[in-house]
Amino acid sequence: MGIYELWPLAFLALVPVLILLYFLRQNIKKKEFSAVMLWQEVYRSVEATRPWERLRKNLLLILQILTVLLFVLALMRPWIRSGAGDQTMTVLVLDNSASMDTLYGENADGLTAVSGEDSAQSESSVSGKSAVYSGFSDASGSTRLDAAKEAACEYVDSLADGSMLYVVSANQSAALVLSNSQDKVEAKNRIRGIEQTVLGGDLSSSLSLVQSCISQSEEYQMVFFTDTAFDTGDLDCVVENFYSDAANCSADSLSCSEKDGQLLVLAQVTNHGAADVTGEINLYGIDADREEALLSISAMDVAAGETASVYFELEEAEVDETVKALRAEINGTDALAGDNSVWCVLEEESASRVLLLTQSNLYLEKAFGTISGVEVYRTSDLGVFETSEADGYDLYIFDGMLPEELPETGNYLFVNCKTSAYAGTESTAASDADENVVKNTGNSEVYFAVSGYVENTTLEVASTDMTYYSADASFGVTQSAIYETPSWGTSFLKAGESGEETAGFYGIYGGHRMAVLGFDLHDTDFGLQAEFPILVSEMAGYLLDTGLTEDTSYVAGDSILIHGQSTGSDLTVIRPDQSTELITASEAAGSYMEVSQLGIYQISQEQGETRKTQYFAVQFPTALESEVEPASAMENAQEGAAESSGVGTMELRNLVLILLLILMCAEWLIYVRTS
């Protein structure tokens, strides 16, 4: 036998109060006596008024004390083991997403902001160095995950011996922590070993894994331990709610720009708590060695449930040349420490160089020339690719002209390309007599292949990730090539009556971004339409992205597409905790990297005689985890410690309540009869 709750024991204080009331109660009855008997009755009355005499054979008092004891026992939720649980399967799912790191219960009250002497001390250390940011501040106390793990362990103890146990941890993905085990000690060790993450998500990611577990048994029970509401589908389960009101402010975003010799920085802060918050935000500069220096401190005043902007204005002299990124941190601690910091990478602005190989195409030259930060160089001499003058461009545009070998660096745009193109040597890719061959060092796979031609037709721009604003535009062409869309490509120009044939596509292959157009701009009216510069701008935005990653800011848990070169060295990735990861050159182009640490990453690769280095930030998933929908909103949610669903253990609360009701009825009958 066991109990789930201990706090009802406080109600035992009612027992001495009840006895005290019996001491104070007056129970005097008036009767007539003869004078002879008067003094004898007075003596007996004095004996009866002694306190301890009142408690002798007082049936009502005994019944009332028993009523209080049964009431306390019912609140404690007693249970006993039932032998029916030996063949039962139990699946326990624990949420270890970022929001579960919030301080739980009484630990979550209040926000500590630095002020007074602490603020003055911070200002005095502006020029000093600090250690590498670890991702969390020094807030201490029991978190929601800690409470959930203890409740899960108590639940394991309540199960009958022989119960089959599965333990799952989940955030944006699910992991099987324990499978098909009857060892309670091992189950509790695995539960306590579940680590907190900074990933977003809820327990809906675990449903498919849970269903595969329960498919092996006809009798099962499922308990989910979380703070966030989620869709359980048609599963018959119990959801244990560990959401608690908490004082929390989150640093949502950080952006910067240069103007008139100043660095202007904007931080967005949201107050998720129920009380207004006044405090400060620290701004740090981060150098290549990941050392931080405090640059500035600014005050913040955020009303409950509101978002506020905090500005910093720094002179160029205040920011060292070695600073690669900035970090803004809410000064002090609150219930959720992980969302108190946000990062911004300082990007170096440089012009993109484009080499246009064409006989005469003013459409392309003018369209790319009007794009900010782009320098266009034009030539009609194929011999330039046999010299070093063609090296170092970010984008090569081939307008109806193809060199014998493509450049090893940069990205490609093929226009009016009505021949097939290969990546490989002449002997492995095509015959010497084939005029429709483009050679490049590397393997012998086909870049793209022409499957046919269409004449006097209409082309339509399809909706893709690249053509967001030019989608659905259409124009007529005199002739266009039709391509077999490669596995790495995405079709964005459709032709033919069915609208399924590809007249243009884009993609990444061999470390190069490519786009292919199958028509001559002189044989179409597209250059005169308003959509033409829009499409050119979208292609330029895609093709001129020459960084090793697509962006400089990501959220923990994102899969980052790497844009290294397969002809370069191995990629080196340095994480915020200074650990290093190597990505082989063969996987440098088009591979994905998972990020699960908060802070600044550094990625670099040797490409030819230069080494390209880039920084990017991984942020806390504030949009998903700083403020969540409470699990208590779910119909099958329960508060407090987990309780067994009845298979393997049996609760006695209902039986105790029945006994309590019977006792109260008996007490009322005795009171009526004796009054």
Side-chain angles (χ1 to χ4, degrees), residues 28-138:
I28 301 175
K29 296 181 181 179
K30 294 183 179 181
K31 290 186 178 181
E32 293 183 359
F33 295 95
S34 64
V36 177
M37 300 176 62
L38 180 59
W39 295 109
Q40 183 180 1
E41 291 301 322
V42 168
Y43 173 77
R44 293 177 180 175
S45 177
V46 171
E47 289 292 324
T49 56
R50 293 177 180 175
W52 55 85
E53 294 293 337
R54 293 175 179 268
L55 302 181
R56 291 182 180 179
K57 299 180 180 180
N58 196 324
L59 183 58
L60 280 178
L61 176 60
I62 296 174
L63 292 177
Q64 289 170 358
I65 293 176
L66 288 176
T67 300
V68 172
L69 295 178
L70 287 176
F71 172 72
V72 172
L73 184 61
L75 292 178
M76 294 174 68
R77 296 163 56 196
W79 55 266
I80 59 173
R81 298 189 186 277
S82 63
D86 293 344
Q87 304 300 323
T88 299
M89 176 182 294
T90 301
V91 183
L92 306 180
V93 186
L94 284 84
D95 183 355
N96 66 340
S97 63
S99 63
M100 291 294 285
D101 195 42
T102 306
L103 296 180
Y104 186 64
E106 61 183 13
N107 298 314
D109 295 335
L111 173 74
T112 304
V114 174
S115 60
E117 296 180 359
D118 294 332
S119 178
Q121 184 177 0
S122 298
E123 292 177 1
S124 65
S125 61
V126 167
S127 60
K129 295 284 187 179
S130 66
V132 177
Y133 179 67
S134 62
F136 299 92
S137 47
D138 296 329

Side-chain angles (χ1 to χ4, degrees), residues 572-583:
T572 302
V573 179
I574 303 178
R575 303 186 186 93
D577 64 357
Q578 300 293 341
S579 61
T580 302
E581 176 185 357
L582 289 180
I583 301 176

Side-chain angles (χ1 to χ4, degrees), residues 418 453-460 475-482 494-497 501 503 518-520 522-525:
K418 298 178 181 178
Y453 302 90
V454 292
E455 294 183 352
N456 300 321
T457 188
T458 299
L459 303 184
E460 183 174 347
F475 53 92
V477 294
T478 303
Q479 186 186 57
S480 177
I482 299 300
K494 300 294 186 178
E497 296 180 358
E501 296 178 302
F519 58 91
D520 187 347
H522 296 92
D523 296 335
T524 176
D525 61 347

Side-chain angles (χ1 to χ4, degrees), residues 109 134 217 229 269 286 319 323 405 412 651:
D109 295 335
S134 62
S217 177
V269 180
I286 306 174
V319 182
V323 172
E405 292 188 5
Y412 312 141
E651 278 211 36

Side-chain angles (χ1 to χ4, degrees), residues 420-424 429-430 434 436-440 444-448:
S420 301
Y422 296 83
D434 192 345
N436 301 334
V437 172
V438 177
K439 295 176 293 182
N440 187 22
S444 59
E445 297 184 31
V446 178
Y447 271 167
F448 53 87

Side-chain angles (χ1 to χ4, degrees), residues 189-492:
N189 289 337
R190 296 290 182 91
I191 290 172
R192 293 191 176 101
I194 294 176
E195 296 182 353
Q196 178 67 56
T197 71
V198 292
L199 305 178
D202 55 43
L203 294 189
S204 58
S205 62
S206 68
L207 297 184
S208 59
L209 179 58
V210 170
Q211 287 175 330
S212 65
C213 293
I214 63 177
S215 63
Q216 306 174 27
S217 177
E218 295 182 357
E219 292 186 359
Y220 57 84
Q221 52 187 342
M222 296 170 290
V223 185
F224 294 84
F225 301 81
T226 182
D227 62 342
T228 308
F230 66 100
D231 185 7
T232 60
D234 56 356
L235 289 180
D236 183 14
C237 60
V238 174
V239 178
E240 292 294 333
N241 173 38
F242 289 90
Y243 178 88
S244 60
D245 292 331
N248 180 43
C249 280
S250 64
D252 301 330
S253 64
L254 185 67
S255 59
C256 58
S257 62
E258 293 184 11
K259 184 178 180 181
D260 299 332
Q262 285 187 320
L263 181 64
L264 307 179
V265 183
L266 170 64
Q268 296 282 343
V269 180
T270 299
N271 181 5
H272 304 281
D276 297 348
V277 172
T278 299
E280 295 173 337
I281 291 185
N282 296 345
L283 182 67
Y284 298 90
I286 306 174
D287 62 18
D289 295 327
R290 248 41 90 74
E291 290 187 339
E292 296 185 349
L294 184 60
L295 300 177
S296 181
I297 300 176
S298 183
M300 71 172 188
D301 190 359
V302 193
E306 299 294 332
T307 299
S309 299
V310 181
Y311 298 92
F312 299 89
E313 293 184 3
L314 303 173
E315 299 295 334
E316 286 186 348
E318 297 180 286
V319 182
D320 193 272
E321 294 181 356
T322 61
V323 172
K324 303 298 182 182
L326 302 175
R327 178 172 73 91
E329 180 184 31
I330 297 175
N331 204 344
T333 59
D334 56 18
L336 182 57
D339 63 0
N340 286 358
S341 288
V342 64
W343 292 261
C344 174
V345 174
L346 299 178
E347 300 183 67
E348 297 181 2
E349 296 185 1
S350 60
S352 298
R353 302 174 72 239
V354 176
L355 179 61
L356 172 60
L357 183 66
T358 181
Q359 294 292 347
S360 176
N361 197 329
L362 291 178
Y363 292 113
L364 285 174
E365 185 176 358
K366 295 296 183 183
F368 276 92
T370 58
I371 300 175
S372 177
V374 174
E375 298 176 355
V376 180
Y377 301 86
R378 180 170 61 88
T379 182
S380 59
D381 183 11
L382 282 173
V384 71
F385 289 94
E386 299 177 0
T387 68
S388 60
E389 294 181 8
D391 297 339
Y393 287 89
D394 299 306
L395 174 62
Y396 297 88
I397 303 177
F398 305 102
D399 179 29
M401 304 174 66
L402 294 175
E404 186 177 353
E405 292 188 5
L406 296 176
E408 294 185 4
T409 61
N411 299 325
Y412 312 141
L413 171 59
F414 300 96
V415 181
N416 190 24
C417 190
K418 298 178 181 178
T419 62
S420 301
Y422 296 83
T425 62
E426 228 176 331
S427 59
T428 58
S431 65
D432 293 340
D434 192 345
E435 296 179 356
N436 301 334
V437 172
V438 177
K439 295 176 293 182
N440 187 22
T441 57
N443 58 38
S444 59
E445 297 184 31
V446 178
Y447 271 167
F448 53 87
V450 175
S451 61
Y453 302 90
V454 292
E455 294 183 352
N456 300 321
T457 188
T458 299
L459 303 184
E460 183 174 347
V461 181
S463 177
T464 65
D465 292 338
M466 185 182 73
T467 57
Y468 183 82
Y469 295 101
S470 61
D472 300 328
S474 61
F475 53 92
V477 294
T478 303
Q479 186 186 57
S480 177
I482 299 300
Y483 303 102
E484 297 176 4
T485 307
S487 59
W488 49 266
T490 301
S491 175
F492 73 96

